mmCIF file of all heavy atoms in Angstrom:
data_model
loop_
_atom_site.group_PDB
_atom_site.id
_atom_site.type_symbol
_atom_site.label_atom_id
_atom_site.label_comp_id
_atom_site.label_asym_id
_atom_site.label_seq_id
_atom_site.Cartn_x
_atom_site.Cartn_y
_atom_site.Cartn_z
ATOM 1 N N LYS A 370 39.381 14.946 -57.686
ATOM 2 C CA LYS A 370 38.026 14.670 -58.232
ATOM 3 C C LYS A 370 36.917 15.128 -57.273
ATOM 4 O O LYS A 370 35.900 15.592 -57.711
ATOM 5 C CB LYS A 370 37.910 13.106 -58.421
ATOM 6 C CG LYS A 370 38.829 12.515 -59.370
ATOM 7 C CD LYS A 370 38.448 12.747 -60.823
ATOM 8 C CE LYS A 370 39.290 11.930 -61.808
ATOM 9 N NZ LYS A 370 38.871 12.163 -63.167
ATOM 10 N N ASN A 371 37.141 14.973 -55.994
ATOM 11 C CA ASN A 371 36.206 15.463 -55.026
ATOM 12 C C ASN A 371 36.699 16.718 -54.332
ATOM 13 O O ASN A 371 37.706 17.199 -54.723
ATOM 14 C CB ASN A 371 35.989 14.349 -53.961
ATOM 15 C CG ASN A 371 35.397 13.104 -54.513
ATOM 16 O OD1 ASN A 371 34.527 13.056 -55.415
ATOM 17 N ND2 ASN A 371 35.774 11.952 -54.015
ATOM 18 N N ARG A 372 36.041 17.165 -53.288
ATOM 19 C CA ARG A 372 36.478 18.337 -52.548
ATOM 20 C C ARG A 372 37.757 17.975 -51.745
ATOM 21 O O ARG A 372 37.761 17.003 -50.969
ATOM 22 C CB ARG A 372 35.389 18.808 -51.586
ATOM 23 C CG ARG A 372 35.600 20.174 -50.999
ATOM 24 C CD ARG A 372 35.526 21.249 -52.090
ATOM 25 N NE ARG A 372 34.230 21.584 -52.567
ATOM 26 C CZ ARG A 372 33.920 21.977 -53.809
ATOM 27 N NH1 ARG A 372 34.895 22.060 -54.743
ATOM 28 N NH2 ARG A 372 32.676 22.262 -54.119
ATOM 29 N N PHE A 373 38.779 18.707 -51.877
ATOM 30 C CA PHE A 373 40.047 18.488 -51.274
ATOM 31 C C PHE A 373 39.887 18.500 -49.779
ATOM 32 O O PHE A 373 39.105 19.343 -49.168
ATOM 33 C CB PHE A 373 41.057 19.614 -51.645
ATOM 34 C CG PHE A 373 42.307 19.653 -50.849
ATOM 35 C CD1 PHE A 373 43.343 18.739 -51.142
ATOM 36 C CD2 PHE A 373 42.460 20.523 -49.772
ATOM 37 C CE1 PHE A 373 44.581 18.768 -50.397
ATOM 38 C CE2 PHE A 373 43.641 20.522 -49.029
ATOM 39 C CZ PHE A 373 44.673 19.687 -49.367
ATOM 40 N N SER A 374 40.561 17.558 -49.029
ATOM 41 C CA SER A 374 40.408 17.533 -47.572
ATOM 42 C C SER A 374 41.736 17.401 -46.838
ATOM 43 O O SER A 374 41.665 17.292 -45.657
ATOM 44 C CB SER A 374 39.477 16.367 -47.203
ATOM 45 O OG SER A 374 39.969 15.137 -47.574
ATOM 46 N N GLY A 375 42.844 17.387 -47.543
ATOM 47 C CA GLY A 375 44.124 17.462 -46.766
ATOM 48 C C GLY A 375 45.256 16.832 -47.436
ATOM 49 O O GLY A 375 45.081 15.949 -48.353
ATOM 50 N N ILE A 376 46.473 17.096 -46.914
ATOM 51 C CA ILE A 376 47.671 16.507 -47.501
ATOM 52 C C ILE A 376 48.637 16.067 -46.364
ATOM 53 O O ILE A 376 48.740 16.825 -45.343
ATOM 54 C CB ILE A 376 48.452 17.566 -48.386
ATOM 55 C CG1 ILE A 376 47.745 17.748 -49.719
ATOM 56 C CG2 ILE A 376 49.890 17.010 -48.682
ATOM 57 C CD1 ILE A 376 48.418 18.735 -50.676
ATOM 58 N N ILE A 377 49.214 14.945 -46.470
ATOM 59 C CA ILE A 377 50.320 14.553 -45.574
ATOM 60 C C ILE A 377 51.635 14.652 -46.431
ATOM 61 O O ILE A 377 51.790 13.976 -47.424
ATOM 62 C CB ILE A 377 50.176 13.054 -45.087
ATOM 63 C CG1 ILE A 377 48.840 12.886 -44.395
ATOM 64 C CG2 ILE A 377 51.323 12.671 -44.243
ATOM 65 C CD1 ILE A 377 48.573 11.466 -43.999
ATOM 66 N N TRP A 378 52.436 15.589 -46.061
ATOM 67 C CA TRP A 378 53.661 15.822 -46.838
ATOM 68 C C TRP A 378 54.727 14.827 -46.492
ATOM 69 O O TRP A 378 54.866 14.415 -45.284
ATOM 70 C CB TRP A 378 54.199 17.234 -46.499
ATOM 71 C CG TRP A 378 53.231 18.303 -46.976
ATOM 72 C CD1 TRP A 378 52.327 18.933 -46.181
ATOM 73 C CD2 TRP A 378 52.980 18.722 -48.317
ATOM 74 N NE1 TRP A 378 51.563 19.828 -46.999
ATOM 75 C CE2 TRP A 378 51.924 19.703 -48.268
ATOM 76 C CE3 TRP A 378 53.533 18.332 -49.561
ATOM 77 C CZ2 TRP A 378 51.469 20.300 -49.408
ATOM 78 C CZ3 TRP A 378 53.021 19.003 -50.689
ATOM 79 C CH2 TRP A 378 52.025 19.975 -50.638
ATOM 80 N N GLY A 379 55.497 14.363 -47.470
ATOM 81 C CA GLY A 379 56.548 13.372 -47.267
ATOM 82 C C GLY A 379 57.927 14.060 -47.525
ATOM 83 O O GLY A 379 58.613 14.472 -46.636
ATOM 84 N N ASN A 380 58.281 14.137 -48.839
ATOM 85 C CA ASN A 380 59.512 14.791 -49.194
ATOM 86 C C ASN A 380 59.273 15.575 -50.573
ATOM 87 O O ASN A 380 58.115 15.683 -50.964
ATOM 88 C CB ASN A 380 60.677 13.858 -49.303
ATOM 89 C CG ASN A 380 60.377 12.662 -50.254
ATOM 90 O OD1 ASN A 380 59.661 12.836 -51.243
ATOM 91 N ND2 ASN A 380 60.830 11.459 -49.848
ATOM 92 N N GLU A 381 60.360 15.963 -51.218
ATOM 93 C CA GLU A 381 60.161 16.731 -52.414
ATOM 94 C C GLU A 381 59.316 16.059 -53.454
ATOM 95 O O GLU A 381 58.711 16.653 -54.315
ATOM 96 C CB GLU A 381 61.499 17.180 -52.935
ATOM 97 C CG GLU A 381 62.203 18.256 -52.100
ATOM 98 C CD GLU A 381 63.429 18.834 -52.779
ATOM 99 O OE1 GLU A 381 63.773 18.330 -53.881
ATOM 100 O OE2 GLU A 381 63.976 19.818 -52.280
ATOM 101 N N THR A 382 59.436 14.666 -53.537
ATOM 102 C CA THR A 382 58.888 13.951 -54.591
ATOM 103 C C THR A 382 57.650 13.098 -54.145
ATOM 104 O O THR A 382 57.064 12.464 -54.998
ATOM 105 C CB THR A 382 59.891 13.060 -55.297
ATOM 106 O OG1 THR A 382 60.319 12.079 -54.310
ATOM 107 C CG2 THR A 382 61.023 13.895 -55.868
ATOM 108 N N THR A 383 57.294 13.169 -52.880
ATOM 109 C CA THR A 383 56.223 12.221 -52.385
ATOM 110 C C THR A 383 55.336 12.961 -51.407
ATOM 111 O O THR A 383 55.754 13.557 -50.494
ATOM 112 C CB THR A 383 56.870 10.992 -51.694
ATOM 113 O OG1 THR A 383 57.782 10.366 -52.619
ATOM 114 C CG2 THR A 383 55.752 10.054 -51.285
ATOM 115 N N ALA A 384 54.027 12.858 -51.664
ATOM 116 C CA ALA A 384 53.029 13.415 -50.773
ATOM 117 C C ALA A 384 51.736 12.588 -50.919
ATOM 118 O O ALA A 384 51.524 11.975 -52.028
ATOM 119 C CB ALA A 384 52.790 14.891 -51.042
ATOM 120 N N ILE A 385 50.947 12.556 -49.909
ATOM 121 C CA ILE A 385 49.663 11.891 -49.879
ATOM 122 C C ILE A 385 48.564 12.910 -49.746
ATOM 123 O O ILE A 385 48.567 13.765 -48.884
ATOM 124 C CB ILE A 385 49.571 10.870 -48.759
ATOM 125 C CG1 ILE A 385 50.725 9.838 -48.834
ATOM 126 C CG2 ILE A 385 48.162 10.243 -48.703
ATOM 127 C CD1 ILE A 385 50.585 8.864 -49.934
ATOM 128 N N ALA A 386 47.546 12.857 -50.609
ATOM 129 C CA ALA A 386 46.436 13.830 -50.508
ATOM 130 C C ALA A 386 45.083 13.026 -50.363
ATOM 131 O O ALA A 386 44.999 11.897 -50.818
ATOM 132 C CB ALA A 386 46.384 14.659 -51.771
#
Side-chain angles (χ1 to χ4, degrees):
K370 297 281 188 179
N371 298 324
R372 193 67 75 212
F373 171 81
S374 61
I376 289 181
I377 302 174
W378 298 101
N380 55 36
E381 288 191 354
T382 61
T383 305
I385 301 289

